[in-house]
Amino acid sequence: MVNAIVGANWGDEGKGKITDMMAKEADIIVRFQGGANAGHTIVNDYGKFALHTLPSGVFYKHTTSIIGNGVALNIPVLLKEIQSIVERGVPKPKILVSDRAQMVMSYHILFDQYEEERLGGKSFGSTKSGIAPFYSDKYAKIGFQVSELFDEEALKEKVVRICETKNVLLEHLYHKPLLKSEELIKELMEYKEMIAPYVCDTSAYLWEAIKAGKNILLEGQLGSLKDPDHGIYPMVTSSSTLAAYGAIGAGIPPYEIKKIITVCKAYSSAVGAGAFVSEIFGEEADELRRRGGDGGEYGATTGRPRRMGWFDIVASKYGCRIQGTTDVAFTVLDVLGYLDEIPVCVGYEIDGEVTTEFPATVKLEKAKPVLQVLPGWKCDIRGIRKYEDLPENCRKYIEFVEEKIGFPITMISNGPGREDIIYRNGR
Ligand code: GDP
């Protein structure tokens, strides 16, 4: 059985925690898109970890972690990450890397930086991990697949061709040092040595695992609103963040994905530029940022302060729909315990009309939030394990959100730890 864990919003919803928790019952956890540009923060018995490339199931002895073909694979980052968790006492994880995954090259990272520099104030707020240049090259068919590392002759020829095209841009657009084919070959050969022990036909492996009835989790990075097709284009990421893409980025049949668990945070946060209708500012935002997540809302990869906002019904309803949600995991609810009243964005006003349908970017830029204020519960709900034990106003908040987004909230996360979870059975 295959289940997907994906985000409803702009990312940072707490997917890492839900994956780490669900991995207890899983055999295989697969990353199917994205790269080392975003991170998951996980708190468990070994401590607190920020993972960027490894799936959030690496902390168990019984799981296999797979880097699927859809991932932007930064080999040195992956190896460093493996080393860093092992150094902190985590048993060496079993990791398989798809032979069809493509590699982030050092020049992708440079091109990302050069382009941000060139755009100046009009930049996309890239994390400069090379992700956009990487995926551009993949679809322009000038990327490097892991499998190519094992055919040196063909690789040498390809490197020369790639230097030619890249060097035109480096010389005439960016005025930066040119690429040298010998150096790129050296880089690729280093990658070959590092990655060889992990390389596998992961799609075939997963096919056998599905037939054998294994429990497989697909772990998404970022969230619906950062999807290049369905998100807030162009302020999106460069690979699909949707569960449907899990089938492609892992190489499995789409009909095998049985449950789509969409993680939805009890308030909003976003990184980078782009429309964010329910955004709040000033002291109100600072306080939520300070209290948010586990130790504040700052990027796991970049350390950047996240933009903050109230829960957005319009964006979350859409975010859940476009994922194909079967279950919602409603997270970080404990953080809201300090508020007397909790505003929720229940509609967007665009050109004088109120809508609850999430619009395409041009209209989205004009949207103003319509807020409804719900009473707070004014206490700490961490440690509560049963839904009935939550304060009445807290349950009302959950039920209000559930009714408005139209998807069942089957899990409520009320703390960063594995055990901080309330199941609502029978929904
Ligand atoms: P991801 O990318 O979706 O995995 O999310 P991040 O790891 O970037 O952000 C989630 C943050 O919230 C992390 O610091 C988690 O430890 C923390 N977190 C997850 N669930 C909860 C929760 O229910 N309550 C609190 N207080 N923190 C949580």
Side-chain angles (χ1 to χ4, degrees):
M1 165 142 134
V2 183
N3 296 327
I5 299 170
V6 287
N9 309 116
W10 296 264
D12 309 317
E13 298 94 349
K15 295 175 293 296
K17 177 241 160 102
I18 300 292
T19 308
D20 176 62
M21 191 189 87
M22 290 189 61
K24 192 170 177 218
E25 310 291 333
D27 301 297
I28 302 168
I29 298 95
V30 190
R31 276 284 312 269
F32 62 89
Q33 45 88 220
N37 50 330
H40 299 293
T41 312
I42 294 156
V43 183
N44 56 31
D45 304 343
Y46 298 103
K48 184 171 176 175
F49 296 86
L51 297 182
H52 307 287
T53 297
L54 285 172
S56 302
V58 286
F59 298 100
Y60 295 98
K61 278 198 198 113
H62 67 272
T63 57
T64 298
S65 298
I66 292 187
I67 311 286
N69 52 277
V71 169
L73 173 66
N74 183 320
I75 292 176
V77 168
L78 173 68
L79 270 94
K80 236 184 257 159
E81 215 166 287
I82 298 172
Q83 194 192 350
S84 74
I85 65 166
V86 171
E87 271 169 7
R88 290 178 58 193
V90 178
K92 192 163 188 332
K94 183 171 175 214
I95 294 165
L96 301 175
V97 174
S98 167
D99 56 358
R100 285 187 164 83
Q102 296 202 11
M103 294 169 281
V104 176
M105 300 293 294
S106 54
Y107 59 78
H108 289 135
I109 297 167
L110 293 173
F111 272 92
D112 211 349
Q113 289 164 4
Y114 298 160
E115 182 62 6
E116 287 281 298
E117 258 172 60
R118 191 181 75 85
L119 292 172
K122 295 208 167 66
S123 79
F124 290 89
S126 164
T127 58
K128 304 188 189 75
S129 322
I131 301 301
F134 165 87
Y135 280 109
S136 308
D137 280 3
K138 176 171 174 178
Y139 294 106
K141 293 167 285 188
I142 52 168
F144 288 103
Q145 253 189 15
V146 165
S147 62
E148 290 176 79
L149 294 172
F150 302 91
D151 182 350
E152 256 179 72
E153 282 317 302
L155 197 61
K156 278 184 183 150
E157 195 209 317
K158 183 168 169 181
V159 163
V160 172
R161 262 188 295 130
I162 283 168
C163 284
E164 277 166 14
T165 49
K166 296 289 170 201
N167 283 343
V168 175
L169 291 173
L170 287 169
E171 186 173 353
H172 299 290
L173 183 65
Y174 298 117
H175 314 293
K176 297 285 184 188
L178 304 189
L179 298 179
K180 295 195 182 78
S181 56
E182 323 77 74
E183 281 174 17
L184 280 191
I185 287 287
K186 193 165 155 265
E187 179 179 338
L188 285 161
M189 289 302 106
E190 281 167 12
Y191 291 167
K192 178 182 174 182
E193 199 167 309
M194 288 189 225
I195 207 69
Y198 304 99
V199 178
C200 169
D201 179 347
T202 50
S203 168
Y205 180 92
L206 285 167
W207 175 247
E208 293 303 324
I210 291 169
K211 281 201 288 186
K214 299 285 185 202
N215 186 350
I216 299 163
L217 290 180
L218 303 176
E219 181 183 19
Q221 182 213 37
L222 297 167
S224 301
L225 305 175
K226 293 281 187 182
D227 183 75
D229 281 83
H230 297 283
I232 54 170
Y233 188 85
M235 298 303 180
V236 292
T237 192
S238 305
S239 64
S240 176
T241 56
L242 303 183
Y245 190 75
I248 297 160
I252 58 165
Y255 57 77
E256 291 295 346
I257 306 176
K258 303 297 182 211
K259 266 191 178 184
I260 297 173
I261 297 146
T262 304
V263 184
C264 202
K265 193 151 75 172
Y267 54 89
S268 302
S269 72
V271 282
F276 182 11
V277 179
S278 70
E279 185 166 14
I280 53 174
F281 303 91
E283 182 43 40
E284 197 177 40
D286 289 345
E287 176 148 37
L288 185 55
R289 184 179 303 109
R290 245 189 339 267
R291 292 173 176 268
D294 178 33
E297 290 283 359
Y298 302 91
T301 302
T302 57
R304 291 192 285 197
R306 292 175 181 152
R307 297 163 68 194
M308 306 303 297
W310 301 125
F311 187 79
D312 185 333
I313 299 274
V314 181
S316 302
K317 180 175 77 143
Y318 173 76
C320 287
R321 172 166 71 78
I322 217 76
Q323 287 290 6
T325 302
T326 60
D327 295 67
V328 175
F330 198 50
T331 56
V332 211
L333 186 61
D334 49 305
V335 161
L336 300 181
Y338 73 98
L339 290 159
D340 294 325
E341 291 184 320
I342 312 176
V344 176
C345 175
V346 292
Y348 290 175
E349 193 194 312
I350 303 170
D351 295 331
E353 277 185 40
V354 174
T355 180
T356 60
E357 296 301 326
F358 192 78
T361 310
V362 173
K363 278 192 168 174
L364 185 66
E365 302 283 357
K366 298 193 212 163
K368 294 189 185 63
V370 178
L371 297 177
Q372 184 171 334
V373 176
L374 302 192
W377 48 91
K378 294 294 285 178
C379 66
D380 186 3
I381 59 162
R382 277 206 198 180
I384 294 179
R385 295 287 171 264
K386 286 208 214 103
Y387 188 69
E388 312 78 75
D389 295 343
L390 286 170
E392 191 186 356
N393 283 346
C394 183
R395 279 182 278 129
K396 280 191 174 152
Y397 184 80
I398 298 164
E399 287 158 26
F400 178 84
V401 166
E402 182 177 56
E403 200 227 305
K404 296 281 186 196
I405 61 174
F407 295 93
I409 297 178
T410 60
M411 282 176 245
I412 294 142
S413 173
N414 59 340
R418 273 177 186 169
E419 66 296 341
D420 298 320
I421 195 83
I422 298 169
Y423 292 99
R424 284 172 87 203
N425 295 328
R427 297 197 72 77

